[in-house]
Amino acid sequence: MRLLIRFSAIFTLIFGSGMVIAGFLTYRRLQDDARTEVRDQARLMFSAMQGVRTYTNVQLKPILNPIQEQEKKFLPQTVPAFAATENIGYIRASFPDYSYKEAALNPTNPRDRAVDWEADIISSFRNTPSLERLTGERESSTGPSLFFAQPIRAEAGCLPCHSEPEKAPAAMLAKYGPSNGFGWKLNEVVAAQIISVPMTVPLQMAQNAFHRLLIDLTLIFVVGLAVLNLTLYFMIARPVGRLSNMADQISLGQLDVPELPAEGHDEVAQLASSFNRMRRSLVTAMKMLGEQGG
Ligand code: HEC
C-alpha cells in the first residue's frame, strides 16, 4: 500500500502544481478578456456619442439656426453637448448602468457640473496637456465601473457663448442666465467627455468561468487519482503482494504452495515466472537432499 500512497502523493504534487499554474494564468486571462470587452464597449459608446455630436453640428444646426433667429428663441438642440447628453438619457432607459457626461467645472447647464471624481479627471487633463485620453476603474454605486475620458478644450468658436455674458446670444442668456458657463479661456481644458461602463456582469462571468474550470480540473484530478490507484493496485501492488506471500510461505518450509499466475510479458509477470521457477528448483533441491539423507 505504501507504493500507492507514494504514487498518489507524486501525482497530487504534479497535478496540483499544474492546477495552480493553469488556474493562475487562466484567471488572469479571463479577467483581462473581461476588461478588454468592457473597454471595447466604452470605445464603441464613445464613438456613438461623437457621432451624435457631429450629426448635430453638421446636419441639425444649419436647419435649426434660421428657426432660432426667426423665433428669437434659443434651441438647446443645436448644442452638441446637449444632444449627446439627451441621447444617453434615452439609452439609459434600457441600460441604466451606462453613462455619458460632458462634465464641466463651470457648466452652462447645472446638470453637467463635474462631481468630485470627474473634476479630478478634468484636473489631470489640465495638468498634463499632452494627455489625450484617460481610462480607469472606479467603484460606482452599482459596482465596479470603467471610465473612458477625453478632454474638451475651448476653441475660438466656443467663446461667444462661453467667455462673457455680454458676448452671448440674447436668447441663450434669457434661457440660461449670466452666471454659469462663462469665463472659459481659449485652449483651456473646460470639460471632459466621460463614458462609464459597468464591469459587474463581465467580471462575474469571468469569475464563473474560472469556478467552472476549477470544478472541471478537480473532477479530472479525482478520476485520474482513482484510475492511477486502481491500475497500480491491480497491476503492481496485488501481484507483488502475492509474490511476497509465496516467498514468506516457502521460507517457512511450506513447499506445496500453488504456482502463481504469470500471464503477460510485463516485469511483474516475469518476476512471477522467475519465482515459480525458483520454487520448483527449490522443491527439486530439497527432494534430492531428502533422498541423499534417506
Ligand atoms: C451658440 C452658443 C454656444 C456655442 C458657440 C458653444 N456652446 Fe457649448 N453650450 C452652449 C449651451 C447653451 C450649453 C448648455 C446646453 C444644455 O442645456 O445642455 C452648452 C454646453 C456645453 C458643454 C456641456 C457643459 C455645460 O456647459 O453645460 C460643453 C462641454 C460645451 N458646451 C463645450 C463647447 C465647446 C467646446 C464649444 C466650441 C467648440 C461650444 N461649447 C460652443 C452654448 C454654446
Side-chain angles (χ1 to χ4, degrees):
M1 272 321 210
R2 248 180 246 147
L3 203 61
L4 292 197
I5 292 170
R6 253 183 233 167
F7 271 102
S8 297
I10 292 170
F11 179 76
T12 307
L13 192 74
I14 294 173
F15 199 96
S17 21
M19 208 162 132
V20 168
I21 294 169
F24 176 73
L25 293 178
T26 310
Y27 182 80
R28 274 218 339 221
R29 213 197 53 226
L30 286 170
Q31 293 276 322
D32 285 352
D33 287 354
R35 288 195 158 79
T36 307
E37 189 192 316
V38 176
R39 217 167 289 147
D40 288 349
Q41 273 185 15
R43 227 174 278 141
L44 181 71
M45 264 184 81
F46 196 85
S47 303
M49 290 299 120
Q50 294 289 55
V52 171
R53 288 183 121 257
T54 310
Y55 172 79
T56 308
N57 256 335
V58 175
Q59 299 202 23
L60 273 190
K61 213 184 246 179
I63 299 172
L64 292 181
N65 269 347
I67 302 176
Q68 290 197 108
E69 275 165 31
Q70 214 176 23
E71 300 193 356
K72 307 241 170 300
K73 204 174 136 196
F74 185 81
L75 296 176
Q77 287 80 2
T78 55
V79 177
F82 178 84
T85 307
E86 288 293 301
N87 255 275
I88 191 69
Y90 295 119
I91 295 175
R92 276 167 62 88
S94 310
F95 300 96
D97 295 341
Y98 290 70
S99 77
Y100 171 81
K101 187 165 165 187
E102 303 216 353
L105 297 176
N106 171 19
T108 314
N109 188 329
R111 74 175 170 184
D112 299 325
R113 187 174 299 285
V115 295
D116 48 0
W117 66 274
E118 294 165 340
D120 289 344
I121 292 178
I122 298 173
S123 299
S124 304
F125 285 131
R126 281 189 168 181
N127 297 338
T128 320
S130 59
L131 196 62
E132 281 310 322
R133 51 184 58 95
L134 202 62
T135 314
E137 288 172 24
R138 52 180 285 275
E139 201 55 44
S140 75
S141 55
T142 53
S145 163
L146 179 129
F147 67 81
F148 176 80
Q150 272 189 19
I152 295 182
R153 293 189 171 82
E155 300 161 12
C158 322
L159 297 184
C161 297
H162 288 296
S163 62
E164 292 158 35
E166 297 78 54
K167 291 185 183 161
M172 178 188 145
L173 261 183
K175 188 168 169 58
Y176 292 93
S179 38
N180 295 313
F182 295 106
W184 296 8
K185 308 257 173 343
L186 187 64
N187 293 332
E188 180 187 46
V189 173
V190 289
Q193 298 169 272
I194 305 175
I195 281 274
S196 291
V197 178
M199 303 183 72
T200 315
V201 173
L203 285 183
Q204 190 61 49
M205 276 163 67
Q207 199 73 26
N208 291 348
F210 179 64
H211 286 160
R212 270 200 307 276
L213 176 84
L214 284 191
I215 292 172
D216 290 350
L217 284 179
T218 310
L219 280 179
I220 295 173
F221 169 72
V222 170
V223 172
L225 191 64
V227 170
L228 177 81
N229 271 296
L230 288 174
T231 314
L232 281 177
Y233 177 73
F234 285 110
M235 291 180 72
I236 296 173
R238 195 169 71 160
V240 170
R242 279 198 197 133
L243 281 177
S244 93
N245 267 347
M246 180 188 180
D248 280 349
Q249 282 171 317
I250 295 172
S251 71
L252 293 174
Q254 216 178 313
L255 294 179
D256 53 349
V257 286
E259 296 240 322
L260 282 176
E263 299 120 27
H265 301 286
D266 60 12
E267 288 81 351
V268 177
Q270 277 171 18
L271 186 62
S273 49
S274 308
F275 245 90
N276 286 336
R277 250 194 332 272
M278 199 171 80
R279 190 194 68 104
R280 283 195 295 273
S281 316
L282 202 64
V283 171
T284 322
M286 293 304 264
K287 257 189 208 146
M288 278 161 66
L289 265 179
E291 279 161 17
Q292 274 175 18

